[in-house]
């Protein structure tokens, strides 16, 4: 929107509680939503929404920060259940973003900032069902804006995960750039970030979170991501993967730096075993799958970091889900391939980079002080609940 036009419309602000309510990142698998609610809307919503709460993606990863006047919420829905998301927005009346700000009853009064492929795919549905226009914001722009905001403004956002130990890293603002942002969603995007405004998507891979969940469903008959993740926690990948020692008669291949316990070939063991899929434990299959995909992403990320001379690799996207084994595998892969030179870092709000970036883009449309308002809702000023 033209800046002057936006400023004209701001003449209509009715109160000083000036925050947009909602932004969306509609991805290949999940819809991520960032929204503010006031105390008054929360008390009404609690009555309206008990059944809808069941429909939100109930797996962990939803965060709610309580603040003085209400709360800042990070919520997700499955993209395949978009109608639940629309119902949720409607029940909380979140679609009336612009009401308090825009004087004239124009068509773009009810605008929601939205990113991800679904902002294109579902634009008509949002118009028909909620009477809102999705104002599309570029996905890569949003990922980078969201990541930069979190890394600069939010205390205890980034951390390393090494040998089962989570260690928070407070990055000096002046020393943030350059870094490689690796967003593991359904697919994977790798973005070289050089400054607040300069970045380039340098690589990607279609072997990502969607591959893990899709193949996992086919191979283990699991019904959800959480079930697959839990299975992988209990499994043993050595039952499925072919190890170096199994090829080298129990020995390391020290000359090229491979321990006997290193995986020589992911999913290689069934080649020589006369077994059916049913003969393997679903937990072991899930573990191998998670390890194969995490390892592969870690390796591609490292190769890109090497190519572009980047020491810091920051992983986001909902594939990670704060899962210890996933983060451990990625960290080990980056450490192994870089011979200790590069570091994998993770983010507490890993899955919400795009939605946060879309939220922050309200500022470009004339909403004042969005970043500041958003910060008010973050942990240092609030209490957090997670479901
Ligand atoms: N509750 C969940 N349901 C489905 N997939 C999930 C869930 N939690 C984490 N995931 C993983 O996260 C991936 C989606 O990550 P996300 O960053 O939301 O990407 P996208 O924008 O493509 O939807 C899925 O492919 C899956 O691997
Ligand atoms: C097309 C996408 C940007 C869409 O984002 P997503 O919904 O997966 O988060 C992403 O899936 C991707 O970068 N895929 C990898 C394509 C490739 O580089 O081969």
């Amino acid at each position: 929107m033209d800046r002057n036009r936006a400023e004209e419309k701001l003449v209509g602000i009715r109160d000083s509680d000036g925050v947009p309510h909602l932004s969306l990142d509609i991805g290949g698998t999940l819809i991520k939503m960032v929204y503010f609610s006031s105390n008054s809307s929360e008390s009404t919503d609690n009555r309206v929404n008990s059944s809808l709460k069941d429909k939100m993606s109930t797996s962990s990863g939803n965060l709610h920060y309580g603040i003085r006047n209400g709360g800042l919420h990070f919520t997700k829905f499955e993209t395949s259940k978009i109608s639940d998301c629309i119902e949720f927005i409607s029940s909380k009346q979140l679609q009336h973003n612009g009401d308090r700000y825009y004087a004239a009853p124009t068509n773009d009064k009810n605008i929601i900032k939205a990113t991800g492929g679904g902002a294109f795919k579902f634009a008509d549905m949002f118009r028909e069902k909620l009477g809102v226009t999705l104002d599309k914001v570029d996905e890569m722009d949003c990922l980078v804006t969201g990541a930069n905001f979190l890394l600069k403004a939010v205390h205890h956002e980034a951390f390393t995960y090494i040998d089962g130990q989570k260690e928070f890293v407070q990055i000096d603002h002046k020393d943030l750039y350059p870094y490689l942002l690796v967003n593991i969603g359904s697919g994977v995007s790798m973005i070289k970030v050089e400054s607040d405004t300069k970045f380039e998507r340098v690589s990607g891979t279609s072997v990502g979170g969607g591959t893990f969940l899709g193949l996992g469903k086919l191979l283990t008959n699991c019904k959800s991501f959480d079930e697959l993740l839990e299975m992988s926690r209990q499994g043993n990948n050595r039952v499925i993967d072919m190890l170096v020692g199994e090829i080298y008669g129990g020995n390391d291949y020290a000359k090229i730096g491979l321990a006997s316990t290193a995986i020589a070939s992911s999913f290689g063991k069934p080649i020589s075993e006369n077994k059916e899929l049913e003969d393997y434990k679903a937990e072991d299959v899930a573990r191998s799958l998670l390890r194969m995909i995490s390892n592969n992403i870690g390796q591609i990320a490292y190769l890109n970091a090497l190519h572009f001379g980047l020491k810091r690799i920051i992983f986001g996207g909902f594939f990670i889900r704060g899962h210890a084994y996933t983060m451990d595998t990625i960290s080990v892969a980056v450490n192994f391939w870089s011979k200790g030179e590069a570091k994998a870092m993770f983010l507490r709000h890993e899955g919400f980079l795009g939605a946060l970036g879309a939220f922050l883009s309200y500022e470009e449309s004339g909403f004042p002080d969005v970043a500041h308002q958003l910060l008010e809702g973050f942990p240092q000023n609030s209490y957090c609940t997670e479901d």
Side-chain angles (χ1 to χ4, degrees):
M1 188 190 292
D2 170 316
R3 179 107 204 166
N4 293 335
R5 217 173 120 223
E7 275 163 10
E8 264 170 40
K9 290 187 168 190
L10 282 168
V11 175
I13 292 177
R14 284 215 302 266
D15 58 40
S16 59
D17 179 25
V19 205
H21 285 118
L22 163 73
S23 67
L24 296 167
D25 173 4
I26 312 178
T29 313
L30 297 171
I31 303 169
K32 281 73 60 181
M33 190 189 277
V34 175
Y35 69 94
F36 268 103
S37 64
S38 63
N39 282 333
S40 57
S41 68
E42 296 231 306
S43 55
T44 339
D45 296 340
N46 285 341
R47 269 185 282 129
V48 181
N49 278 324
S50 54
S51 74
L52 253 180
K53 274 194 174 154
D54 299 338
K55 291 178 178 174
M56 285 157 64
S57 176
T58 46
S59 56
S60 64
N62 301 316
L63 293 165
H64 308 277
Y65 297 120
I67 45 177
R68 197 161 36 91
N69 302 321
L72 173 63
H73 308 264
F74 295 83
T75 300
K76 60 186 175 0
F77 291 82
E78 288 170 33
T79 307
S80 59
K81 296 179 186 158
I82 185 133
S83 50
D84 290 347
C85 170
I86 288 177
E87 201 184 328
F88 182 81
I89 293 172
S90 169
S91 78
K92 284 187 174 285
Q93 296 289 295
L94 292 171
Q95 71 271 37
H96 300 303
N97 251 338
D99 282 10
R100 281 178 301 160
Y101 310 96
Y102 297 136
T106 53
N107 288 338
D108 47 319
K109 189 166 147 178
N110 286 339
I111 285 175
I112 296 174
K113 295 283 184 186
T115 188
F120 294 82
K121 187 171 170 184
F122 299 111
D124 290 346
M125 192 185 276
F126 274 78
R127 194 173 304 111
E128 281 157 26
K129 302 244 160 120
L130 291 171
V132 297
T133 302
L134 295 186
D135 190 8
K136 300 172 195 68
V137 205
D138 179 76
E139 186 172 343
M140 299 300 130
D141 281 351
C142 286
L143 287 173
V144 172
T145 305
N148 285 344
F149 170 80
L150 288 168
L151 288 164
K152 284 183 177 180
V154 178
H155 189 56
H156 279 182
E157 178 62 33
F159 59 93
T160 54
Y161 194 87
I162 297 164
D163 296 333
Q165 293 298 317
K166 188 181 207 176
E167 200 169 301
F168 286 102
V169 185
Q170 197 58 42
I171 301 169
D172 181 349
H173 292 188
K174 293 189 204 93
D175 190 32
L176 172 60
Y177 307 113
Y179 68 91
L180 186 71
L181 177 63
V182 180
N183 191 66
I184 317 177
S186 307
V188 186
S189 280
M190 303 196 184
I191 308 167
K192 178 174 69 157
V193 185
E194 291 184 273
S195 75
D196 283 351
T197 49
K198 191 172 175 210
F199 65 87
E200 183 188 356
R201 183 186 187 276
V202 289
S203 191
T205 166
S206 61
V207 181
T211 321
F212 174 61
L213 186 51
L215 265 179
K217 280 190 166 176
L218 290 175
L219 292 173
T220 71
N221 285 325
C222 71
K223 295 288 172 268
S224 69
F225 182 81
D226 283 19
E227 193 186 336
L228 185 60
L229 214 52
E230 179 54 27
M231 275 185 194
S232 79
R233 213 175 55 80
Q234 294 169 14
N236 177 4
N237 69 295
R238 294 179 184 195
V239 178
I240 309 289
D241 294 337
M242 188 189 283
L243 307 185
V244 169
E246 287 160 353
I247 303 174
Y248 272 78
N251 299 305
D252 297 336
Y253 187 173
K255 198 174 164 193
I256 59 166
L258 290 175
S260 65
T261 51
I263 298 172
S265 170
S266 293
F267 279 81
K269 209 162 248 173
I271 300 171
S272 51
E273 297 176 326
N274 208 6
K275 289 184 184 172
E276 304 290 322
L277 180 58
E278 296 71 43
D279 299 325
Y280 294 96
K281 279 170 64 183
E283 288 81 359
D284 298 338
V285 173
R287 182 87 165 193
S288 273
L289 188 58
L290 182 60
R291 184 129 188 203
M292 179 177 77
I293 288 168
S294 305
N295 233 334
N296 192 53
I297 294 170
Q299 183 174 10
I300 298 173
Y302 161 67
L303 289 173
N304 275 285
L306 179 71
H307 183 67
F308 293 103
L310 308 169
K311 289 261 185 294
R312 218 176 249 153
I313 311 177
I314 298 179
F315 291 87
F318 251 122
F319 168 71
I320 299 168
R321 275 284 294 279
H323 186 60
Y325 191 65
T326 308
M327 295 191 295
D328 194 58
T329 307
I330 290 175
S331 294
V332 168
V334 168
N335 185 59
F336 176 82
W337 290 106
S338 72
K339 298 191 174 65
E341 284 286 298
K343 248 203 190 114
M345 293 192 347
F346 305 93
L347 299 171
R348 279 184 56 210
H349 297 86
E350 55 192 9
F352 290 102
L353 307 186
L356 270 172
F359 201 99
L360 288 160
S361 76
Y362 277 110
E363 203 147 287
E364 284 152 32
S365 298
F367 284 81
D369 234 3
V370 177
H372 181 252
Q373 304 265 18
L374 199 52
L375 256 188
E376 287 280 295
F378 265 94
Q380 54 268 50
N381 300 311
S382 58
Y383 56 89
C384 172
T385 56
E386 192 169 345
D387 49 48

